[in-house]
Amino acid sequence: MSNTEHPVHKTLASAANLANLLPTTTVLAFHALIPPFSNNGNCQQLSNKLLTSILILVCAIFCFFSSFTDSFISTRDGKLYHGIATFNGLYVFNYTSSSDYDDETTELCKFRIRVIDFVHAFLSLFVFLIFAISNSSVQTCLVPNEGPNESVLIMNLPLGVGVLSSFLFTIFPTTRRGIGYADMPNI
């Protein structure tokens, strides 16, 4: 067994890619947009409640579907291509296959959706929703009269969910190289 194949190295490499597995970009975008959408939590108008709810919904959908994105470097031209995994393989944006490269087209079939992709998608969605609900602007806007028990739960839930999801992402890694991965293996 080589030094890089050791289980500890695989675990550390998986933990290093944890930022790509968690919905960090969606959470950052959400935290940047929620203050003006919720009027800093002062949702006295229906439009602020509606905008806050729509923002949560759109970010949640983006978080779910980003778990199905993948990338590859073409052997034909050496360019990086991004796509969405389907049940038949990878649907690549702006990529046209030619008859000279049937091998590469058949290689795209190995990117099809698997069960682990749904596990990662639902777990990322769950993590995002917990962080969205724990935002103070969302709390004061959508749940203004929370009791002390709900307040303590909402305050401590993100830490517990973050630790649990990090553990599950490390134990059940994905091979998806979505948008934003720096280390791109060739197919």
Side-chain angles (χ1 to χ4, degrees):
M1 180 184 308
S2 72
N3 197 21
T4 58
E5 293 177 5
H6 196 272
V8 172
H9 292 285
K10 287 183 180 182
T11 302
L12 290 176
S14 180
N17 288 328
L18 196 58
N20 288 335
L21 298 173
L22 292 172
T24 52
T25 305
T26 309
V27 170
L28 287 174
F30 174 79
H31 280 286
L33 293 174
I34 197 63
F37 279 37
S38 69
N39 194 21
N40 289 320
N42 188 10
C43 293
Q44 294 178 354
Q45 297 177 347
L46 179 63
S47 61
N48 289 114
K49 289 184 180 187
L50 188 63
L51 283 172
T52 301
S53 301
I54 289 172
L55 178 63
I56 292 171
L57 179 67
V58 168
C59 287
I61 289 170
F62 179 76
C63 183
F64 182 81
F65 283 112
S66 66
S67 297
F68 298 102
T69 61
D70 213 335
S71 305
F72 75 99
I73 297 176
S74 172
T75 56
R76 175 176 55 174
D77 57 10
K79 291 183 179 178
L80 176 67
Y81 290 95
H82 299 284
I84 296 177
T86 65
F87 291 108
N88 296 325
L90 191 66
Y91 175 75
V92 183
F93 315 120
N94 72 346
Y95 179 78
T96 56
S97 61
S98 65
S99 59
D100 299 338
Y101 295 95
D102 284 336
D103 291 341
E104 192 168 85
T105 305
T106 14
E107 284 291 317
L108 293 178
C109 290
K110 74 178 186 178
F111 291 100
R112 70 177 43 105
I113 292 178
R114 295 177 305 271
V115 174
I116 194 72
D117 297 326
F118 285 102
V119 171
H120 279 261
F122 282 112
L123 193 55
S124 293
L125 177 66
F126 181 65
V127 169
F128 169 73
L129 289 175
I130 293 299
F131 279 99
I133 291 171
S134 68
N135 184 287
S136 62
S137 294
V138 173
Q139 288 176 22
T140 56
C141 180
L142 299 179
V143 192
N145 299 324
E146 64 185 25
N149 290 332
E150 291 87 4
S151 179
V152 169
L153 178 67
I154 290 174
M155 185 175 63
N156 292 313
L157 199 56
L159 178 62
V161 168
V163 169
L164 177 65
S165 64
S166 298
F167 175 73
L168 291 175
F169 280 138
T170 304
I171 298 296
F172 303 109
T174 183
T175 57
R176 294 267 175 239
R177 299 288 182 223
I179 298 170
Y181 266 85
D183 56 336
M184 288 297 307
N186 287 337
I187 59 170

